[in-house]
Structure formats: structure tokens, C-alpha cells
Amino acid sequence: KSKVDLHSVYLIGRQNKISSRETYVTPTGEGYKQSIAYTLLMVTHDPLPIPLFKLTDDIYNQLPCRVYIIDYTLGEVRYKVDRGSNFLDRFLTEAVLLFAEDTRLTSLNRTPDYHGKNWKRIRKVWKARSKRATYLLTMLVDAYQEMDEDPAVKMGIMHYALEQICLGLLYVFWEFKPAHNTLSFLFHLCSHFTDLPDEIFSGASHTRHHIYHLLSNAHHEMRFRSKSGITNKEAEKAFDLCNDFMVEARKMAEAELQRLKRLHCIEAIV
């Protein structure tokens, strides 16, 4: 509230990770670490006066937690809800209200719109995103036969393929088109309805953490460095992980689309 002209805040999700350590050789010791991440829907009266990343960094520097924010102005919310936004209809109703200046949003009639045409739109968005991601990865199949190809370029293409898949998943599960598309932010949002990002790119493997770091920064690598520090072996490993992610993501999306088909089409008839 001290940094933006805040109208209301809704808690979408909370993630709590706990880790501990015990050291048995000199110097011995024990440690305990808890990290918390909150995902918020934030509604302000006016557009943000500072970049969103600066706001989240300022919060992180003052509180022992990471905050991920989906931001709208009050005018945008009322406009979208008035014209039908299943994303806001659901989140303004189901998310936990942490703060509200008044009842202008809580008093809105927010009935989700279930209809066959909406399901067709969701399926169309998913197919378009999935097709783009498939095309990008297909470009790399022949490229791997050419050892002279720049691994940073390959990694950058995979970076954008993962973005497309995440954007598709977010629309299938939330009917949401994020304004901020960094890969880490998209992975975090997807983690609210699937463990797939952690299972594929995290877990207990140092190699997978390293590959995820390379993928997340691949666009910066191409933009700011003339000589890549990425090896062909790392690019090949990243390709395998990206392909695994896309295969599992398609299974998830198809299952959810079948559930939505029953919901939208049956509810529309009733």
C-alpha cells in the first residue's frame, strides 16, 4: 500500500518449502531453512508507477518471502468481468480476499460462463500454442546433426518453446493470458495445478537445475554475449528434458480439455 494505489489483494496460492542440514565433520552443525512464496492477484486504482519486478523485489527485501503478482487496474477488472472473464470470475470468487478498500468487486455478479463456444476457444488456443512449441523443437532435430550450430541458439529456441507450452497450459486450466512471460514466472504459475515443472527441471538432480538455469537465461545469452558458454552436450540434455515436458504437458492438457468439454457443453444444455 505504501508503494502503489492499492484497491484489493487476493491470495491465489501459498507454497512452503522446508529444508534442513546436518554436518557431522568439523565444523559440525545443523541448519534449518524455510522459504515461502505467495501468489497474489493485485488490483490497483491506476497502472503501476514502478515496474512489477521492482515491486516484488522491494517486498522480498522487506519480508522473508517471495511474492508473485498478477496485476490489474480496477477499471480493467470491471471491464473484463462485465464482458465475461472466466479467469476473473473464478479468482475473485475463490481466491482468499486479503484486503479490499470497498465492495466494488465483491458486489459484482460473477457467474462463470459455461458454453460450448468457450470450450472451442480454449481448445483452439491450446492447439495454437502446442503447434508453435512443436514447430520450434522440430527445427532443432536437423540442427543437432550440424555440430557447428550455436548451442545458445538451440537453447534459445527451446526457451521459447517452453513458454508456448506454459501459455497454453495456463489458458486451458485458468483461461489466463499473462502479461508477464518470463519462463520462471510461467513455471511458477503452472505449479499451482501441476508438479510437472519441478519433476522435469528440478528434483534432486544438480544437472537438471543447471539445465533449467541455462534455459531460463538463454534469451539473455543470445542478446548480450557474442561467445556462448553453453556446450552441445548441455543443449542435447535440455532438448531431452523439453521434449519430456511437452509430452507430459500434452497429456495433462488433453485430460483437462475432456473435463472442460463435459462441463461447458453439458452445463450449456441444462
Side-chain angles (χ1 to χ4, degrees), residues 152 217-229:
N217 294 281
H219 54 311
H220 296 301
E221 181 85 7
M222 289 194 297
R223 191 175 299 162
F224 300 114
R225 297 186 63 178
S226 59
K227 185 177 181 181
S228 173

Side-chain angles (χ1 to χ4, degrees), residues 233-248:
K233 186 176 181 179
E234 290 169 333
E236 290 172 8
K237 179 62 176 178
F239 180 86
D240 291 337
L241 294 178
C242 289
N243 189 62
D244 291 343
F245 185 86
M246 288 179 60
V247 169
E248 296 303 319

Side-chain angles (χ1 to χ4, degrees), residues 194-207:
T194 177
D195 293 327
L196 193 57
D198 279 343
E199 290 175 353
I200 300 295
F201 293 102
S202 183
S205 170
H206 170 75
T207 300

Side-chain angles (χ1 to χ4, degrees), residues 59-78:
I59 295 173
Y60 181 74
N61 290 332
Q62 296 184 42
L63 300 173
C65 63
R66 176 65 69 184
V67 176
Y68 297 85
I69 298 175
I70 297 173
D71 62 303
Y72 287 97
T73 65
L74 180 60
E76 288 174 333
V77 172
R78 299 181 72 180

